[in-house]
Amino acid sequence: MPISSPSLPRLAAGLALSLAAVLAAMPAGARGYIGRTLDTPVPGGVAVVSLGDGGQAPRASYEGRRVMVVRDSDGQWIALVGIPLDTKPGRQSLRVQGGPAAAFEVRAKQYAAQHITLKNRRQVTPDPDDLKRIQRELDLQLAAYRTYRDGVVPSNVMLDRPVAGGRLSSPFGLRRFFNGEERNPHSGLDFAVPAGTPVKAPAAGRVTLVGDYFFNGKTVFIDHGQGFVSMFCHLSAIGVKAGDEVARGAVVGRVGATGRATGPHLHWNVSLNDARVDPAIFIGAARRP
């Protein structure tokens, strides 16, 4: 039955009271969607730090590097801060241009160990020529991780899985031992999927680097904006080139076993402000500390 005009004011008043009741029931420290979902302030995690609700995005940095700043669903500006894996638990702070520092607390987290046997001993103990190649390739990749496109709002910070199906095999942060010798911790997340599986961009972005590297094999870097970077390696094929703009869900390569790999799988890195962080956080697969 149509609502008569005298009923409209009563309906509006009822809705206002209902909204007020909902807001009153919310805890004082309620946060926006991104803050509730991504805040994981541990070594190798992400700190979501509130920067107020001003008219313009504040400019903030952590350990000398610009951090991503976006507006959350509650209207607050938030900084998404990548926390390096070697960070000690305790109080940390952001420098905020034109304002006071913003503090956050890093909690402790323990990561497991993984032992891997490789037949190719050069991938455990590279020879002098290999070491020169590795250093050249490292310099290129570090430059790609340090890309910061200002004024670009990522298409999505809750990321899509880059491959369909498959179990999560080696998690982020594992202490790795190759043929009994300890090496750098695992800086990404591995997906156990067959060779040839399409690898898709988890968010829109610009391809900043492609190559075939000693450890990583065939590799693609995508800059999603504001220091938010994805890296995919051990690919069997690459379908993009540096400078390409790719849409969310676009195929950028195929799963393989190139570089230092014991079999076909996808290794996916996510980096914020040049800190490698756990990709599982961005796909809702991380365990809360």
Side-chain angles (χ1 to χ4, degrees):
M1 185 174 75
I3 299 174
S4 61
S5 56
S7 300
L8 289 174
R10 290 197 296 273
L11 178 62
L15 289 172
L17 287 171
S18 298
L19 178 60
V22 170
L23 293 174
M26 292 175 65
R31 310 179 70 181
Y33 177 72
I34 298 173
R36 296 194 308 270
T37 308
L38 294 185
D39 192 35
T40 316
V42 298
V46 178
V48 179
V49 183
S50 179
L51 299 178
D53 59 359
Q56 292 186 334
R59 181 179 176 132
S61 61
Y62 175 60
E63 295 188 336
R65 301 211 178 273
R66 286 279 301 278
V67 299
M68 183 199 303
V69 175
V70 296
R71 202 184 281 279
D72 207 343
S73 61
D74 61 354
Q76 293 287 312
W77 290 109
I78 54 170
L80 274 67
V81 185
I83 305 171
L85 194 54
D86 61 359
T87 301
K88 302 297 183 186
R91 192 174 180 83
Q92 301 285 323
S93 65
L94 300 181
R95 294 187 64 182
V96 181
Q97 188 173 25
F104 61 95
E105 194 79 14
V106 175
R107 301 192 294 267
K109 181 173 181 177
Q110 295 295 321
Y111 292 96
Q114 180 184 47
H115 293 263
I116 299 170
T117 300
L118 294 173
K119 293 180 180 179
N120 184 349
R121 291 202 54 80
R122 280 177 57 197
Q123 292 184 330
V124 180
T125 309
D127 64 30
D129 288 338
D130 292 335
L131 290 173
K132 291 177 183 177
R133 174 187 171 186
I134 289 165
Q135 187 59 55
R136 290 194 303 269
E137 294 173 352
L138 178 63
D139 291 343
L140 290 171
Q141 292 175 80
L142 288 176
Y145 279 126
R146 290 167 183 165
T147 300
Y148 191 97
R149 284 194 295 155
D150 200 1
V152 177
V153 178
S155 65
N156 49 297
V157 294
M158 296 304 299
L159 299 175
D160 299 334
R161 291 192 177 217
V163 290
R167 66 181 175 84
L168 303 181
S169 50
S170 297
F172 175 89
L174 283 172
R175 292 178 57 213
R176 295 186 303 173
F177 296 81
F178 291 98
N179 297 1
E181 299 180 27
E182 186 166 13
R183 293 294 185 264
N184 290 332
H186 194 228
S187 60
L189 179 64
D190 287 355
F191 294 80
V193 289
T197 301
V199 177
K200 299 180 180 181
R206 177 181 295 166
V207 178
T208 52
L209 183 67
V210 298
D212 191 350
Y213 303 125
F214 185 85
F215 287 129
N216 289 357
K218 291 183 169 65
T219 301
V220 173
F221 279 77
I222 300 177
D223 164 28
H224 304 298
Q226 295 194 52
F228 192 25
V229 176
S230 282
M231 185 275 279
F232 312 94
C233 67
H234 306 312
L235 304 175
S236 61
I238 294 173
V240 291
K241 63 183 185 302
D244 284 353
E245 298 285 345
V246 294
R248 178 181 184 179
V251 174
V252 300
R254 302 274 172 175
V255 171
T258 56
R260 186 165 67 182
T262 56
H265 69 282
L266 175 66
H267 174 99
W268 175 33
N269 275 20
V270 172
S271 187
L272 276 171
N273 47 271
D274 193 28
R276 259 52 81 206
V277 295
D278 188 356
I281 294 169
F282 298 89
I283 58 173
R287 291 184 179 181
R288 295 282 177 169

